[in-house]
Amino acid sequence: MSAASTILVADDDRAIRTVLERALTREGYDVRLTSNARTLWSWVADGEGDLVISDVVMPDENGLDLIPRIREIRPDLKVIIMSAQSTLLTAVKANERGAYEYLPKPFDLKELISVIERALQDPSEVHTNAPLDTEEKLPLIGRSVAMQNIYRVLARLMATDLTVLITGESGTGKELVARALHQLSPRATGHFVPINCAALPETLIESELFGHVRGAFTGTNENRIGKFEYATGGTLFLDEIESMPLELQSRLLRVLEDRLVVPLGSNTEIPVDVRVIAATKADLKENAGRSFREDLFYRLNVLTIAVPSLRERRDDILPLMLHFLDQASLRFKRPAPEISVQEITALTTHTWPGNVRELKNTAMRLAVGQGLGMEIIDGDSAAPDIGALADQVSTFEKSVIRACLERHHYRLKPTYEELGVSRKTLYDKIRKYGLEGLTAADRDETD
């Protein structure tokens, strides 16, 4: 870090500017602050600043729209984008326009300082990516820290064609992550072809993947192309890859290396142009060399995305439940039910062994008037320890405070009035849960 480095900060929230000024000044940086894009642009155009930190929503211009203009006149100037609109689409747009990094609010100050140091030391230019038609197509929901990390990885991968291995427990949404990877890639116009390796008998999976010709085995009266050939130009998603038989793993490895398939009963090699995304709930590295080929593991493990369990992203339970209730309301043509405080407590303290799939099924039950189910109302069969329960209560409290802050556009007075707590209590909670990136404890009540 250079003590002479100047950081330009643009955010219309005075509390955010105050927090950043204090933190970055302590690190030895010179800091210039503004509440609007116009002043920021003037500084950049005059050649000032070594790094830009900008919010997305400002009164005169969207911070994302400002990035291409900055890059046009100063392509070496790194831009870090912050946003309280923490969605996959925001991360993607920041990446498309050439942001060096995207950080959701509330941000971790240590992480921000680490990103700043890395950006100032990185001599390479940040490249923009061609805009993609993603507005209504991205399937992932959640604003938890765990999901924000997923969004940032997906945004970085959007212009690549890398093989990806997705890990996670059953029901966490690994296929949704794979679909998002496909939809964000240059292959989005091609087919997304999912195949569950555990759902097909060993006698059929080879034919499903590679195809067969007429007469290849009893009952085959016509040629049939396999999933690899059908997915050419697109993405093949191999779910539960750990269930693939060893003999077939060898053939899969060869296809990945040579990009050629030979249908069953044929000697003709057919070229395929496919991106492969695999998913597993098992530890493939631990099984490598035994039930799973070690060479195939390393061929698939170019980049790994670990999808968190629902108990690791408790902030997302209520938003997901509301989303599934809205879906159920449309499906069953009936109003979405209200959720009581008792039901919210049950939802946020349940351990969700079935993850998002279990939550979706619970929403379906609620939507048709069947209630949450006794296993959720009465708690899990294994009694949680006091520490675990305290963590769950804290997670719930943090999510309520954060949602209330967002609802009031991060203004503190209406927030603590709605929550029914004192000003000091809210300030203490903000510090306790690390929400200083949303607001600041010394903000005036009138803000």
Side-chain angles (χ1 to χ4, degrees):
M1 182 198 76
S2 171
S5 296
T6 299
I7 300 176
L8 309 179
V9 175
D11 196 306
D12 65 344
D13 188 317
R14 182 169 63 83
I16 297 290
R17 297 196 303 273
T18 300
V19 168
L20 290 178
E21 182 179 34
R22 291 176 179 174
L24 299 182
T25 300
R26 281 198 303 266
E27 294 296 316
Y29 295 109
D30 293 328
V31 184
R32 300 196 66 181
L33 306 170
T34 181
S35 62
N36 58 75
R38 182 181 64 256
T39 302
L40 174 62
W41 173 250
S42 174
W43 289 340
V44 171
D46 289 343
E48 298 182 38
D50 302 295
L51 180 79
V52 170
I53 300 176
S54 175
D55 190 20
V56 171
V57 179
M58 288 186 285
D60 52 346
E61 186 172 359
N62 186 294
L64 293 174
D65 295 335
L66 191 61
I67 299 174
R69 293 171 53 198
I70 292 175
R71 289 187 47 74
E72 186 175 349
I73 64 170
R74 293 180 63 182
D76 59 331
L77 184 62
K78 307 293 193 307
V79 180
I80 297 171
I81 284 290
M82 304 179 299
S83 177
Q85 300 172 340
S86 309
T87 66
L88 175 53
L89 186 60
T90 308
V92 167
K93 286 184 175 180
N95 186 271
E96 284 177 348
R97 286 162 172 75
Y100 180 80
E101 185 60 277
Y102 157 77
L103 292 176
K105 294 179 180 178
F107 51 82
D108 183 284
L109 284 172
K110 290 182 180 178
E111 181 183 12
L112 174 62
I113 290 167
S114 176
V115 171
I116 290 170
E117 292 174 349
R118 189 170 71 247
L120 290 172
Q121 294 168 5
D122 188 350
S124 61
E125 290 186 11
V126 178
H127 298 288
T128 58
N129 294 294
L132 299 173
D133 182 18
T134 57
E135 193 73 37
E136 302 296 334
K137 297 181 180 178
L138 300 177
L140 298 175
I141 294 174
R143 296 192 176 189
S144 63
V145 173
M147 288 307 296
Q148 293 302 323
N149 291 333
I150 297 282
Y151 297 163
R152 290 159 68 182
V153 171
L154 293 178
R156 294 188 190 108
L157 289 175
M158 60 185 288
T160 74
D161 208 18
L162 294 173
T163 301
V164 175
L165 180 64
I166 303 173
T167 65
E169 298 175 8
S170 292
T172 50
K174 296 187 290 295
E175 183 172 337
L176 290 179
V177 173
R179 287 185 181 275
L181 276 168
H182 171 72
Q183 292 164 5
L184 291 171
S185 76
R187 295 178 176 270
T189 55
H191 293 120
F192 176 84
V193 183
I195 184 167
N196 190 314
C197 299
L200 291 171
E202 288 189 26
T203 54
L204 292 181
I205 189 170
E206 187 172 9
S207 173
E208 281 291 315
L209 285 175
F210 309 124
H212 62 253
V213 297
R214 181 179 179 181
F217 48 87
T218 303
T220 55
N221 300 317
E222 58 185 15
N223 296 343
R224 181 181 180 185
I225 67 171
K227 299 299 187 185
F228 263 100
E229 190 175 351
Y230 181 68
T232 289
T235 301
L236 180 65
F237 174 57
L238 300 175
D239 197 8
E240 298 196 59
I241 188 74
E242 72 276 6
S243 301
M244 182 175 285
L246 275 169
E247 183 179 348
L248 197 56
Q249 292 177 29
S250 178
R251 284 204 63 185
L252 174 60
L253 178 63
R254 185 163 185 177
V255 172
L256 293 175
E257 295 290 349
D258 300 338
R259 298 293 169 175
L260 297 169
V261 297
V262 179
L264 286 174
S266 172
N267 293 316
T268 303
E269 294 181 330
I270 299 173
V272 290
D273 174 23
V274 178
R275 181 190 196 174
V276 172
I277 300 174
T280 179
K281 61 180 182 293
D283 188 338
L284 291 189
K285 187 173 183 180
E286 182 178 326
N287 294 329
R290 297 195 299 274
S291 61
F292 200 83
R293 290 182 62 104
E294 187 173 18
D295 46 6
L296 179 57
F297 166 71
Y298 287 112
R299 182 63 182 79
L300 293 171
N301 194 39
V302 177
L303 189 140
T304 300
I305 298 177
V307 183
S309 64
L310 192 54
R311 61 186 171 277
E312 295 174 289
R313 45 180 297 211
R314 291 186 181 275
D315 287 358
D316 296 333
I317 290 174
L318 292 182
L320 282 167
M321 173 57 78
L322 295 175
H323 170 72
F324 292 142
L325 286 176
D326 286 342
Q327 285 186 334
S329 175
L330 293 173
R331 177 180 173 182
F332 301 128
K333 296 181 174 58
R334 58 194 299 174
E338 296 289 333
I339 305 178
S340 68
V341 173
Q342 292 79 6
E343 288 173 327
I344 290 175
T345 301
L347 289 169
T348 53
T349 55
H350 183 53
T351 58
W352 299 106
N355 291 297
V356 179
R357 185 182 294 123
E358 181 188 359
L359 182 67
K360 184 174 183 179
N361 291 339
T362 301
M364 294 298 118
R365 288 204 303 268
L366 267 179
V368 296
Q370 296 299 309
L372 290 180
M374 295 307 296
E375 74 278 7
I376 297 175
I377 294 173
D378 292 343
D380 300 299
S381 56
D385 59 56
I386 297 301
L389 181 60
D391 289 342
Q392 292 165 9
V393 172
S394 293
T395 297
F396 175 56
E397 185 176 58
K398 177 181 176 182
S399 68
V400 170
I401 293 172
R402 179 176 178 176
C404 195
L405 283 167
E406 290 181 349
R407 188 159 53 250
H408 292 294
H409 305 288
Y410 318 113
R411 297 176 61 211
L412 297 188
K413 185 175 182 179
T415 298
Y416 63 69
E417 286 179 346
E418 179 181 333
L419 292 173
V421 299
S422 69
R423 174 180 174 179
K424 181 180 184 303
T425 296
L426 179 59
Y427 290 167
D428 291 342
K429 297 292 185 183
I430 286 172
R431 285 192 290 269
K432 175 181 177 181
Y433 295 124
L435 298 175
E436 293 93 340
L438 278 178
T439 183
D442 59 352
R443 167 179 278 212
D444 292 339
E445 286 191 34
T446 55
D447 281 0

